[in-house]
Amino acid sequence: MAEEASFTKAAARLYVAQPGVSAQVRRLEQELGQQLLDRSGRTVRLTEVGAAVLSYARRALDGVAGMRLAVDDFTGLMRGRVSVGMVRSCSSLDLPELLADFHQDHPAVEITLAEENTDRLLDALRNGALDAAVVALTTTTPPGVDLHVIADESLVVAVNASNPLADHAAIAVDKLRDQSLISLPRGTGMRACLDQACADAGFEPRVAFEASDPNVLAELAVRGLGPAIIPESLAALRSEELHAITVTSPWFRGRMALAWRADGPVSPAARAFVEHARAVLPTPNASSPTEQPA
């Protein structure tokens, strides 16, 4: 609360329901007999009492965490919590199996899973709300995170046979200038790739249809609603209905990766999860089919 100045934002950062955060704060205020937060304005602020006790609260939390780690080191039992995020439309990656295997090895570790777009997942990694996340990216690695790349493949423009672009095997991105496009929403890796390529060519893409599932994008293109920006592997699966066009100048590519903070996960449980995931997740050269970037 002290950092977010909002119950809603604090709850989102912790990936818990907002009423739960409000109830915990009220309970603490009742125990102390003082109001810790000023809720009268548009943002929530610390009262004088709240500001005075904040450092003690942080030290207390750090002390409890340290005590648990010391006991766990002594007993050989790993405890803690691992917060994992995943990009939407990540169906071809068996993340549930990965989580279940880790839980079987470390039953005392609490695991949570949240689904969001890539931009928000990366923000949550950097601010500590998440320990690891499966994200979709362009060829540029975002600052502040390390990656284990799971898939790396070309993105294509997919159209049905009646679209004028169906006569082309390859096009420059400028050919999309006047097209009503079908794409994932902003904040996703594929959309970032499209937006950046079009911006470099001097125009903003005209996206007429947005959906969070690449399969829906493909279906819209099959129905003749415009060119869809989709992974090459998905276009290949729909090759009888869609014509895939390679985009050059620049080349379209998308990546799927496990991401974690560049300075490493904070807790032993989170570090163990990242090590486990890196050991079992595929790599572009070892996987056969390729994951769809989202």
Side-chain angles (χ1 to χ4, degrees):
M1 284 304 308
E3 296 172 356
E4 298 295 340
S6 163
F7 281 98
T8 301
K9 290 181 180 179
R13 176 170 172 174
L14 296 171
Y15 286 92
V16 298
Q18 186 268 332
V21 175
S22 299
Q24 290 288 343
V25 172
R26 284 197 301 271
R27 188 173 298 117
L28 179 60
E29 289 177 328
Q30 290 170 359
E31 291 179 2
L32 296 176
Q34 293 289 334
Q35 185 175 349
L36 303 177
L37 297 172
D38 181 354
R39 304 163 176 81
S40 61
R42 297 184 63 180
T43 59
V44 179
R45 297 177 299 172
L46 289 169
T47 63
E48 289 187 12
V49 175
V53 303
L54 179 61
S55 62
Y56 295 98
R58 284 175 170 159
R59 286 200 295 270
L61 291 173
D62 291 341
V64 170
M67 181 175 63
R68 286 175 175 168
L69 290 177
V71 172
D72 293 344
D73 286 343
F74 184 79
T75 61
L77 176 66
M78 181 174 291
R79 298 181 185 272
R81 175 176 176 171
V82 178
S83 298
V84 182
M86 63 177 287
V87 73
R88 294 188 174 101
S89 303
C90 189
S91 57
S92 59
L93 176 67
D94 197 349
L95 190 57
E97 182 179 6
L98 187 155
L99 297 176
D101 288 345
F102 181 79
H103 175 68
Q104 185 173 8
D105 292 340
H106 304 288
V109 175
E110 179 186 354
I111 309 172
T112 63
L113 178 64
E115 185 182 60
E116 258 299 350
N117 66 34
T118 291
D119 280 0
R120 293 185 177 180
L121 291 174
L122 291 172
D123 286 343
L125 283 175
R126 295 187 189 104
N127 67 31
L130 289 177
D131 297 301
V134 177
V135 297
L137 305 165
T138 64
T139 55
T140 301
T141 298
V145 298
D146 285 336
L147 303 176
H148 171 94
V149 177
I150 303 166
D152 184 345
E153 71 167 309
S154 296
L155 307 178
V156 298
V157 176
V159 297
N160 71 1
S162 65
N163 192 287
L165 292 178
D167 294 334
H168 299 269
I171 59 172
V173 71
D174 193 64
K175 279 283 189 180
L176 302 178
R177 184 183 295 268
D178 298 320
Q179 297 289 328
S180 295
L181 302 175
I182 303 168
S183 172
L184 292 180
R186 293 185 186 277
T188 58
M190 285 200 323
R191 180 60 175 272
C193 182
L194 171 66
D195 288 347
Q196 184 60 56
C198 293
D200 291 344
F203 70 97
E204 183 176 348
R206 186 151 53 96
V207 177
F209 297 92
E210 290 184 344
S212 60
D213 186 346
N215 292 288
V216 174
L217 305 183
E219 188 61 34
L220 291 170
V222 168
R223 305 282 179 170
L225 293 172
I229 311 301
I230 60 174
E232 185 178 37
S233 58
L234 177 56
L237 293 174
R238 307 292 294 267
S239 60
E240 294 184 1
E241 304 165 290
L242 289 173
H243 172 65
I245 306 165
T246 301
V247 179
T248 61
S249 304
W251 199 272
F252 274 11
R253 290 198 72 81
R255 295 184 296 165
M256 182 75 70
L258 175 74
W260 61 95
R261 286 187 300 284
D263 56 357
V266 174
S267 71
R271 289 196 296 270
F273 175 80
V274 170
E275 291 172 3
H276 173 81
R278 295 180 70 185
V280 301
L281 285 174
T283 62
N285 293 330
S287 61
S288 167
T290 305
E291 170 66 48
Q292 299 170 12

